[in-house]
């Protein structure tokens, strides 16, 4: 029978290509005979009559193994004409009742492996997440924050386990909302070098203003009087510059404001803010300073919303010529020289803190008039001193705030003189060190001096710089006398 099928139906080339043996089954109970047609299909005969249903013996797997493209249009046409009764499934029927041929999606071995690996990945990921979630319900550990422990107690009831899971899960997001360090500033210096108060200043639209134009690009302008404001108040306050922008944008501007770090003690940026209620807040409690002795001046109310009692609000500066920074100096000077233990009651005593300088000047004017009347009464009572032209008051009849102002001006002049001398010395030092460079060859050969040698060279260089500066200063003085 097998030789008969080969001779009458399928050619030997097709059988060799597919490398298969066609199983032929002859039923003894029925009169069905399997025959072949010239196009490679098996037909069934029933009682001598050919059946309409035909089965294509070359399946997709056989054709793929033989290297034949199964997407060939000629082969797909033959496949569509075959019946799917051999698959043991009945095709779907459309509205007219005709049987629709369902297309079989064939998967390669690579796709099967990929699907298997994907399933294993999903199972592993789900198991890991479930295990980590169960691990987060454990009892509290000693290293965990106390504030979390106070919210939920230990225990393995469903409510306590859920509470610990929720607290730990929320703390994951809190980690990104808090500053990088619990204390943003180092501990304050000892008493002789410690300033009585801390002044936190915003950078953008308070000290500087940046604009962008198509012609010039980004340009930054300094507010009028900003250098005098910083230099004068640095003798009373520990000044902290707290920018509302990220460090990569504001660091260069802060360096240009105070290149010697003589006025500004510390620089903070947006990374050091607390993110809460969709706003970046400058939390003064994170500064490692007594909040009662901290003042913040800012143009954005969201920046000080956690400590509004410590704030002096100001309108954003847009680049115009004004003296509002200078107007704040008398009040800030008075506050720093009164040895106050809490600045909040004094700040909140003003009706409108936006107009604080004006209201403070009004108070000072009243105090001055009252002080003048008292001085007149004292002068009338001490007529002997008045005849001699000597004042009976130890202050010489001057208003105390005026005396504080005079002393502050003297200190400011001396301080700025030291700053100018330091700038000149740095300029000389840069000229001396311009030729001292180390190449990669020096590093490889080990020609770099040791740290002890570098310190000795630095001390010697400093002595040379001081000598050059003194000589230059002496020459300038002699030249000035000659000009006179």
């Amino acid at each position: 029978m097998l030789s008969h099928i080969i001779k009458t139906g399928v050619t030997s080339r097709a059988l060799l290509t597919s490398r298969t043996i066609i199983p032929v089954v002859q039923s003894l109970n029925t009169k069905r005979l399997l025959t072949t047609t010239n196009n490679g299909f098996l037909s069934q005969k029933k009682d001598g009559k050919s059946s309409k249903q035909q089965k294509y013996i070359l399946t997709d797997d056989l054709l793929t193994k033989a290297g034949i493209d199964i997407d060939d249009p000629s082969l797909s046409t033959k496949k569509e004409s075959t019946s799917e009764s051999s698959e043991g499934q009945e095709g779907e029927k459309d509205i007219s009742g005709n049987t629709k041929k369902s297309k079989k999606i064939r998967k390669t071995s690579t796709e099967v492996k990929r699907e298997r690996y994907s399933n294993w990945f999903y199972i592993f990921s789900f198991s890991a997440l479930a295990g980590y979630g169960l691990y987060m319900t454990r009892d509290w550990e000693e290293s965990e924050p106390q504030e979390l422990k106070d919210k939920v107690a230990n225990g393995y009831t469903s409510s306590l386990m859920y509470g610990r899971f929720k607290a730990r899960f929320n703390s994951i997001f809190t980690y990104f909302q808090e500053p990088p360090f619990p204390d943003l500033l180092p501990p304050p210096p000892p008493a002789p070098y410690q300033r009585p108060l801390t002044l936190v200043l915003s950078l953008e639209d308070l000290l500087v203003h940046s604009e962008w134009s198509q012609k010039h690009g980004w340009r930054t302008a300094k507010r009028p009087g900003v250098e005098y404001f910083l230099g004068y108040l640095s003798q009373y306050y520990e000044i902290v510059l707290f920018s509302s922008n990220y460090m990569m944008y504001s660091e260069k501007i802060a360096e240009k404001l105070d290149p010697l770090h003589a006025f500004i003690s510390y620089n903070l940026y947006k990374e050091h803010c607390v993110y809460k209620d969709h706003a970046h807040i400058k939390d003064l409690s994170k500064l490692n300073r007594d909040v009662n002795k901290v003042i913040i001046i800012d143009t954005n109310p969201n920046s000080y919303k956690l400590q509004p009692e410590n704030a002096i609000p100001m309108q954003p500066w847009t680049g115009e010529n004004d003296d509002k920074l200078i107007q704040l100096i008398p009040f800030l000077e008075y506050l720093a020289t009164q040895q106050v233990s809490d600045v909040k009651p004094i700040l909140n005593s003003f009706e409108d803190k936006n107009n604080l300088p004006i209201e403070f000047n009004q108070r000072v004017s009243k105090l001055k008039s009252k002080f003048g009347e008292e001085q007149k009464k004292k002068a009338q009572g001490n007529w002997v001193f008045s005849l001699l032209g000597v004042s009976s008051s130890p202050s010489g009849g001057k208003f105390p705030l005026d005396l504080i102002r005079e002393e502050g001006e003297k200190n400011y002049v001396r301080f700025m003189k030291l700053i100018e001398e330091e700038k000149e010395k740095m300029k000389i030092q840069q000229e001396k060190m311009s030729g001292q460079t180390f190449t990669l060859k020096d590093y490889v050969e080990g020609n770099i001096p040791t740290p002890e040698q570098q310190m000795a060279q630095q001390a010697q260089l400093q002595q040379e710089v001081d000598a050059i500066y003194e000589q230059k200063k002496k020459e300038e003085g002699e030249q000035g006398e000659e000009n006179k």
Side-chain angles (χ1 to χ4, degrees), residues 25-120:
V25 180
Q26 183 176 9
S27 175
L28 299 176
N29 298 328
T30 59
K31 294 182 179 181
R32 295 181 182 177
L33 294 176
L34 296 177
T35 62
T36 59
T37 59
N38 293 329
N39 56 4
F41 289 90
L42 289 177
S43 62
Q44 296 180 355
K45 284 187 178 182
K46 201 171 186 179
D47 296 334
K49 295 181 179 180
S50 177
S51 174
K52 294 182 179 180
Q53 295 182 351
Q54 294 178 335
K55 180 181 177 181
Y56 189 57
I57 63 174
L58 299 179
T59 61
D60 291 343
D61 292 333
L62 297 178
L63 292 175
T64 303
K65 292 179 180 179
I68 300 175
D69 187 5
I70 60 174
D71 294 329
D72 189 358
S74 61
L75 293 176
S76 62
T77 304
K78 294 178 182 180
K79 291 179 184 179
E80 290 178 358
S81 63
T82 61
S83 174
E84 294 189 355
S85 59
S86 61
E87 302 294 334
Q89 297 179 355
E90 184 178 359
E92 297 180 358
K93 293 184 178 181
D94 55 12
I95 300 175
S96 60
N98 297 328
T99 302
K100 296 191 297 183
K101 309 301 181 183
S102 59
K103 187 177 180 180
K104 180 182 177 182
I105 300 176
R106 182 184 173 278
K107 296 181 180 179
T108 62
S109 60
T110 305
E111 292 175 343
V112 173
K113 289 182 180 179
R114 187 182 296 127
E115 184 176 354
R116 186 186 304 116
Y117 294 153
S118 299
N119 293 336
W120 279 112

Side-chain angles (χ1 to χ4, degrees), residues 366-380:
K366 292 179 181 179
L367 288 175
K368 275 188 176 181
S369 60
K370 186 178 179 180
F371 179 78
E373 293 176 358
E374 292 178 355
Q375 291 298 316
K376 288 181 181 179
K377 291 180 181 179
K378 289 181 180 181
Q380 292 175 359

Side-chain angles (χ1 to χ4, degrees), residues 52-289:
K52 294 182 179 180
Q53 295 182 351
Q54 294 178 335
K55 180 181 177 181
Y56 189 57
I57 63 174
L58 299 179
T59 61
D60 291 343
D61 292 333
L62 297 178
L63 292 175
T64 303
K65 292 179 180 179
I68 300 175
D69 187 5
I70 60 174
D71 294 329
D72 189 358
S74 61
L75 293 176
S76 62
T77 304
K78 294 178 182 180
K79 291 179 184 179
E80 290 178 358
S81 63
T82 61
S83 174
E84 294 189 355
S85 59
S86 61
E87 302 294 334
Q89 297 179 355
E90 184 178 359
E92 297 180 358
K93 293 184 178 181
D94 55 12
I95 300 175
S96 60
N98 297 328
T99 302
K100 296 191 297 183
K101 309 301 181 183
S102 59
K103 187 177 180 180
K104 180 182 177 182
I105 300 176
R106 182 184 173 278
K107 296 181 180 179
T108 62
S109 60
T110 305
E111 292 175 343
V112 173
K113 289 182 180 179
R114 187 182 296 127
E115 184 176 354
R116 186 186 304 116
Y117 294 153
S118 299
N119 293 336
W120 279 112
F121 173 76
Y122 295 144
I123 294 172
F124 176 77
S125 301
F126 178 78
S127 302
L129 290 175
Y132 184 70
L134 185 62
Y135 177 71
M136 291 178 68
T137 62
R138 71 191 187 279
D139 285 342
W140 297 115
E141 298 177 355
E142 295 181 0
S143 60
E144 293 183 292
Q146 186 63 34
E147 57 183 8
L148 295 179
K149 299 178 184 179
D150 296 337
K151 294 180 180 179
V152 185
N154 288 328
Y156 285 97
T157 62
S158 58
S159 58
L160 293 177
M161 292 175 66
Y162 174 75
R164 290 193 297 271
F165 172 82
K166 185 177 180 181
R168 288 190 174 103
F169 183 78
N170 293 334
S171 65
I172 296 175
F173 298 96
T174 307
Y175 174 81
F176 297 99
Q177 297 172 356
E178 293 290 330
F181 308 104
D183 297 328
L184 298 178
L185 302 180
Y193 308 99
Q194 184 180 1
R195 299 290 190 273
L197 299 175
T198 301
L199 181 62
V200 180
L201 299 174
S202 179
L203 178 63
E204 292 78 17
D205 296 336
L206 178 67
L207 305 181
V208 299
H209 176 71
S210 299
E211 288 184 352
W212 186 90
S213 62
Q214 189 175 4
K215 181 178 180 181
H216 303 285
W218 280 106
R219 294 191 300 175
T220 302
K222 291 190 298 185
R223 194 166 191 169
V226 63
E227 293 179 347
Y228 176 74
F229 177 81
L230 295 174
Y232 189 85
L233 292 179
S234 62
Q235 60 183 313
Y236 300 115
Y237 288 87
E238 179 189 36
I239 298 179
V240 178
L241 191 65
F242 208 144
S243 174
S244 300
N245 212 337
Y246 291 105
M247 181 178 180
M248 61 182 298
Y249 302 116
S250 302
E251 185 179 18
K252 293 183 178 179
I253 300 176
E255 288 293 330
K256 289 185 177 181
L257 275 180
D258 185 17
L260 297 180
H261 299 278
F263 311 138
I264 301 172
S265 302
Y266 304 101
N267 294 327
L268 299 176
Y269 304 95
K270 194 173 184 178
E271 291 89 345
H272 304 96
C273 292
V274 175
Y275 186 76
K276 186 177 181 181
D277 298 332
H278 306 286
H280 289 85
I281 307 172
K282 301 173 183 178
D283 190 358
L284 302 181
S285 64
K286 305 287 186 180
L287 296 180
N288 196 21
R289 298 292 185 272

